[in-house]
Amino acid sequence: ADTEDGAPQSSMAEDIAHRRRMGRIHRAFGIGTWGGMTLATVFGIIQYRNLYAGTTAGRTPCGRGDATFGQDACSGLPAPHLATVIVTSALYYTTFGLSYAMPDPLNVSEGDGDYARRLRTHKRLRWVHFAGMAAQIILGMVSSNSEAFGLNRSEDYRALQVLSTIHLAIGLTTYGTLTYAGALMIR
């Protein structure tokens, strides 16, 4: 049978099989995203420590000359953090897209059971970590290209420290939210 627009109608069994296949792919990408975000978070914490873990620029590891990954990590783009952020973003937005492409022919999230409640929470949390990811991209671009935005690390250290602290806090919140969303579904 065809639908009103002439497209072939799939059977419930086909939709369930399609959801199962997509679910496996979504799960693999989700785990990959979490791994990438773990590394991006670790490298982000190191970058923050190098540049802003001091009351003045001179009192940071970069200012003292003992930066993690050497003094080259004190200027320019933060290569380890940036590389993991790019990979994580690609994985994340693919995973996010898959969550929408997955059919739900049985309306699994509408029940009153434990799994349905966990799935609803998982779906709601995607909006929290989605907002966090978007904010992180913007804040990261401003932080790492501060000169282009009229901020100089030596003259505007406190403003950049606050901006970077917000970036770090949102990053940790996003990581925690993504971790919780994934943990809900691993049971």
Side-chain angles (χ1 to χ4, degrees):
D2 289 343
T3 60
E4 288 179 21
D5 64 359
Q9 188 174 10
S10 63
S11 71
M12 177 75 74
E14 289 171 330
D15 285 348
I16 292 169
H18 183 62
R19 179 178 177 81
R20 188 172 294 121
R21 283 189 305 275
M22 288 195 72
R24 284 192 295 266
I25 295 166
H26 174 75
R27 182 184 186 118
F29 270 88
I31 292 168
T33 299
W34 183 81
M37 193 177 287
T38 299
L39 290 174
T41 301
V42 167
F43 289 135
I45 290 168
I46 291 168
Q47 187 70 15
Y48 179 86
R49 180 190 166 275
N50 279 344
L51 296 172
Y52 298 108
T55 54
T56 65
R59 293 183 181 197
T60 65
C62 283
R64 291 189 312 264
D66 63 352
T68 304
F69 302 129
Q71 291 307 106
D72 288 343
C74 298
S75 60
L77 293 175
H81 184 53
L82 180 61
T84 55
V85 164
I86 290 169
V87 169
T88 300
S89 294
L91 289 167
Y92 176 83
Y93 289 109
T94 300
T95 307
F96 188 87
L98 287 168
S99 74
Y100 274 97
M102 241 187 299
D104 189 7
L106 300 174
N107 298 313
V108 177
S109 65
E110 294 178 16
D112 288 328
D114 181 55
Y115 182 79
R117 284 191 296 277
R118 286 187 289 126
L119 183 56
R120 280 194 301 274
T121 302
H122 179 79
K123 287 180 170 185
R124 287 181 191 122
L125 288 172
R126 73 178 159 196
W127 294 110
V128 177
H129 51 70
F130 181 85
M133 288 291 289
Q136 287 301 86
I137 290 169
I138 294 166
L139 290 169
M141 289 172 66
V142 172
S143 312
S144 63
N145 298 291
S146 59
E147 302 265 335
F149 293 94
L151 297 168
N152 179 291
R153 192 168 292 130
S154 60
E155 295 171 19
D156 301 306
Y157 175 77
R158 186 71 181 132
L160 287 169
Q161 184 184 45
V162 168
L163 179 69
S164 294
T165 301
I166 293 167
H167 179 65
L168 177 63
I170 292 172
L172 292 172
T173 301
T174 302
Y175 178 69
T177 304
L178 184 80
T179 300
Y180 181 54
L184 284 169
M185 303 314 294
I186 290 187
R187 294 183 190 185

